[in-house]
């Protein structure tokens, strides 16, 4: 542990799930930046200096990114934070420096330490930063059995320092960024490598370090996800929309809203709320006057806006029957489990036995069920099991669905038993 953490060096890392001591601990000290808040890098010349410094640094690189979710369209990065031994901390503005591929190459061989890596990797990839190796402190905390795996909770429980709170959901596209926000951002990477080291120790103590390494390798090797099919179907409140004509209204309004949001670079929810889209779909207003009476299309909405949304409704109303969307999405896999008892009672029994076995094993291993094996994988196995269930055939099915070797080793025996129990 570094000099800045000597006050916490004698703290014992409590095993996940242990009860706190009876006596109340001393107040947790608030973390302070070791070298102060670094200046924001926003020019190519300043970026060249950062690239050189981090290329010359040693050991893992702490990496974090801040987006403007809820404010801007898309999930682009508006601030990138890094820290490495020998280089210190850096704050980089991807608006001023939109291509960070040189930095990505400079630290490409190092292990990147991120917290909740899958959230930041897409926006980092967009600016040219792609790791070959990584350590995810949030996922490590889950595998180690910690109940609270947010960065602040992990730093406090493991290292004994409190992170400043209150700026996680701000509009990071703001320029210039306020000093308190920059301080918050810099502290997010201040102890990330220290946290990584402590969690690695804990995972090794629990015999789970190899599990974590397999998980991290899978994240680093995963390709970008394909575009979502029919994203309008994820509109909040969509379960209320049953008729195909109403679904067409949701589709048209969602598409129109998305085009406006992209053009204005603001969050779609700030253009028109999901609840307003659903209200319009359920009521099928015949004109903009009727539309204005619906929740979400109130008096503050201008005439041109109302006409724009009404035009989308009218397009849906004018569609021929064969142009209307079909209810539900085409199934790529088993049906929803709630329908199994009617469609295939034997499969429903398999699923019940398998779920119980996975729950019991996850509790015994002190980790979340979804990290032991994904629920979707269990459903697919139980819906279409091997013709002759054996540990080998079950293992092959699990592997085909992307399960890691450690997961297969743990769950193949119990899932095979669940399938065989039902068969008997």
């Amino acid at each position: 542990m570094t000099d800045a953490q000597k006050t916490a060096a004698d703290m014992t890392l409590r095993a996940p799930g242990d009860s706190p001591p009876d006596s109340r601990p001393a107040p947790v000290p608030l973390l302070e930046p070791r070298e102060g808040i670094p200046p924001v890098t926003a020019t190519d010349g300043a970026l060249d200096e950062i690239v050189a410094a981090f290329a010359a640094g040693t050991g893992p690189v702490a990496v974090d990114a801040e987006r403007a979710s809820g404010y801007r369209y898309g999930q682009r990065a508006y601030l990138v934070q890094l820290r490495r031994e020998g280089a210190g901390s850096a704050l980089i503005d991807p608006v001023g420096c939109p291509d960070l591929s040189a930095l990505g190459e400079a630290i490409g061989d190092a292990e990147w330490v991120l917290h909740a890596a899958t959230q930041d990797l897409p926006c980092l990839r967009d600016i040219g930063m792609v790791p070959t190796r990584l350590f995810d402190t949030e996922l490590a905390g889950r595998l180690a059995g910690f109940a609270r795996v947010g960065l602040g909770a992990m730093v406090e429980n493991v290292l004994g320092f409190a992170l400043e709170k209150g700026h996680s959901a701000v509009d990071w596209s703001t320029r210039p960024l306020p000093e308190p926000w920059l301080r918050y951002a810099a502290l997010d990477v201040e102890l990330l490598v220290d946290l990584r080291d402590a969690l690695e120790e804990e995972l090794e103590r629990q015999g789970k370090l190899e599990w974590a390494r397999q998980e991290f390798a899978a994240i680093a090797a995963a390709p970008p996800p394909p575009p979502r099919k029919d994203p309008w179907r994820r509109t909040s409140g969509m379960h209320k929309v049953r008729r195909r004509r109403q679904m067409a209204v949701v589709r048209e309004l969602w598409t129109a809203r998305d085009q406006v949001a992209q053009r204005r670079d603001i969050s779609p929810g700030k253009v028109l709320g999901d609840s307003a889209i659903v209200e319009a779909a359920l009521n099928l207003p015949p004109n903009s006057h009727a539309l204005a009476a619906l929740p979400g299309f109130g008096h503050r909405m201008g005439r041109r806006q109302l006409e724009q949304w009404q035009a989308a409704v009218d397009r849906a109303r004018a569609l021929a029957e064969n142009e209307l969307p079909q209810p539900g999405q085409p199934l790529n896999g088993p049906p929803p489990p709630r329908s199994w008892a009617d469609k295939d009672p034997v499969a429903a029994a398999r699923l019940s036995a398998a779920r119980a076995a996975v729950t019991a094993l996850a509790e015994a291993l002190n980790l979340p069920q979804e990290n032991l094996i994904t629920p979707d994988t269990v459903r697919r196995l139980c819906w279409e099991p091997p013709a002759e269930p054996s540990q080998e055939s079950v293992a092959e099915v699990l592997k085909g669905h992307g399960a890691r070797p450690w997961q297969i080793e743990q769950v193949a025996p119990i899932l095979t038993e669940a399938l065989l129990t039902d068969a008997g």
Side-chain angles (χ1 to χ4, degrees), residues 118-192:
T118 55
Q119 294 183 20
D120 287 341
L121 288 178
C123 69
L124 290 170
R125 183 184 289 112
D126 289 344
I127 53 178
M129 297 184 66
V130 183
T132 55
R133 294 186 296 130
L134 64 84
F135 189 107
D136 186 334
T137 49
E138 186 202 46
L139 181 51
R142 292 183 186 278
L143 294 174
F146 284 90
R148 298 168 61 222
V149 294
L151 182 59
M154 294 291 288
V155 167
E156 183 169 337
N157 292 339
V158 177
L159 299 177
F161 283 90
L163 290 179
E164 292 187 5
K165 302 176 182 177
H167 301 304
S168 61
V170 299
D171 181 2
W172 288 97
S173 69
T174 301
R175 293 296 183 271
L177 286 164
E179 190 270 347
W181 298 12
L182 296 175
R183 177 187 179 86
Y184 165 91
L187 290 174
D188 270 0
V189 292
E190 185 81 10
L191 294 184
L192 210 48

Side-chain angles (χ1 to χ4, degrees), residues 8-365:
D10 59 350
M11 292 183 60
T12 301
L13 175 59
R14 283 204 305 271
D18 282 0
S19 299
D22 293 334
S23 57
R24 292 184 63 84
V28 179
L30 191 65
L31 182 63
E32 298 289 341
R34 285 173 246 189
E35 302 100 9
I37 303 171
V40 177
T41 298
T43 65
D44 290 342
L47 179 60
D48 290 342
E49 295 180 12
I50 295 296
V51 171
F54 274 78
T58 58
V61 184
V63 183
D64 190 24
E66 305 295 347
R67 299 174 299 280
S69 303
Y71 298 94
R72 295 288 182 174
Y73 184 87
Q75 293 295 314
R76 67 165 294 182
Y78 283 96
L79 188 69
V80 175
Q81 309 100 280
L82 304 98
R83 184 174 181 85
R84 191 179 196 186
E85 187 70 28
S89 294
L91 301 177
I92 302 175
D93 179 3
V95 177
C97 302
D99 182 4
L100 299 187
S101 55
L103 178 59
E105 291 170 7
I107 59 174
D109 293 334
E111 178 188 78
W112 295 21
V113 184
L114 303 101
H115 192 81
T118 55
Q119 294 183 20
D120 287 341
L121 288 178
C123 69
L124 290 170
R125 183 184 289 112
D126 289 344
I127 53 178
M129 297 184 66
V130 183
T132 55
R133 294 186 296 130
L134 64 84
F135 189 107
D136 186 334
T137 49
E138 186 202 46
L139 181 51
R142 292 183 186 278
L143 294 174
F146 284 90
R148 298 168 61 222
V149 294
L151 182 59
M154 294 291 288
V155 167
E156 183 169 337
N157 292 339
V158 177
L159 299 177
F161 283 90
L163 290 179
E164 292 187 5
K165 302 176 182 177
H167 301 304
S168 61
V170 299
D171 181 2
W172 288 97
S173 69
T174 301
R175 293 296 183 271
L177 286 164
E179 190 270 347
W181 298 12
L182 296 175
R183 177 187 179 86
Y184 165 91
L187 290 174
D188 270 0
V189 292
E190 185 81 10
L191 294 184
L192 210 48
V193 173
D194 299 87
L195 180 60
R196 171 233 179 275
D197 292 344
L199 289 171
E200 183 178 62
E201 253 182 65
E202 179 63 18
L203 288 166
E204 188 161 25
R205 186 186 71 79
Q206 295 186 27
K208 298 175 179 176
L209 183 55
E210 176 56 28
W211 301 1
R213 286 173 174 158
Q214 292 180 24
E215 292 297 310
F216 302 156
I219 293 173
R228 192 182 299 277
K229 181 177 172 61
D230 291 346
W232 58 270
R233 292 185 185 271
R234 294 178 62 85
T235 303
S236 180
M238 190 68 190
H239 62 281
K240 303 175 187 176
V241 181
R242 303 298 177 89
R243 298 176 182 173
R244 293 174 63 201
R245 183 75 57 186
Q246 295 172 332
M247 291 179 189
V249 172
V250 173
R251 183 178 64 186
E252 294 296 328
L253 280 172
W254 188 98
T255 303
R257 178 185 71 174
D258 194 65
Q259 291 169 347
V260 171
Q262 188 169 8
R263 185 175 70 249
R264 294 170 56 190
D265 190 21
I266 58 175
S267 168
K270 289 188 175 296
V271 175
L272 186 66
D274 280 9
S275 59
I277 291 178
V278 170
E279 284 293 332
L282 296 177
N283 288 275
L284 292 171
N287 52 55
S288 57
H289 181 73
L291 181 68
L294 298 177
F297 299 91
H299 63 280
R300 290 188 295 177
M301 187 171 286
R303 180 177 60 84
R304 289 184 64 182
Q305 285 180 295
L306 281 170
E307 290 175 350
Q308 171 183 249
W309 304 133
Q310 184 60 43
V313 175
D314 291 343
R315 285 195 297 272
R317 290 168 61 95
L319 288 174
E321 198 71 22
N322 62 356
E323 297 176 306
L324 298 176
Q326 295 297 322
Q329 301 186 61
L331 282 175
N332 177 22
R338 63 179 177 272
S339 67
W340 285 29
D342 293 328
K343 293 177 181 288
D344 189 340
V346 176
R350 283 195 295 263
L351 181 61
S352 178
R355 281 175 164 174
V358 169
T359 298
L361 181 57
E363 290 176 357
L365 294 173

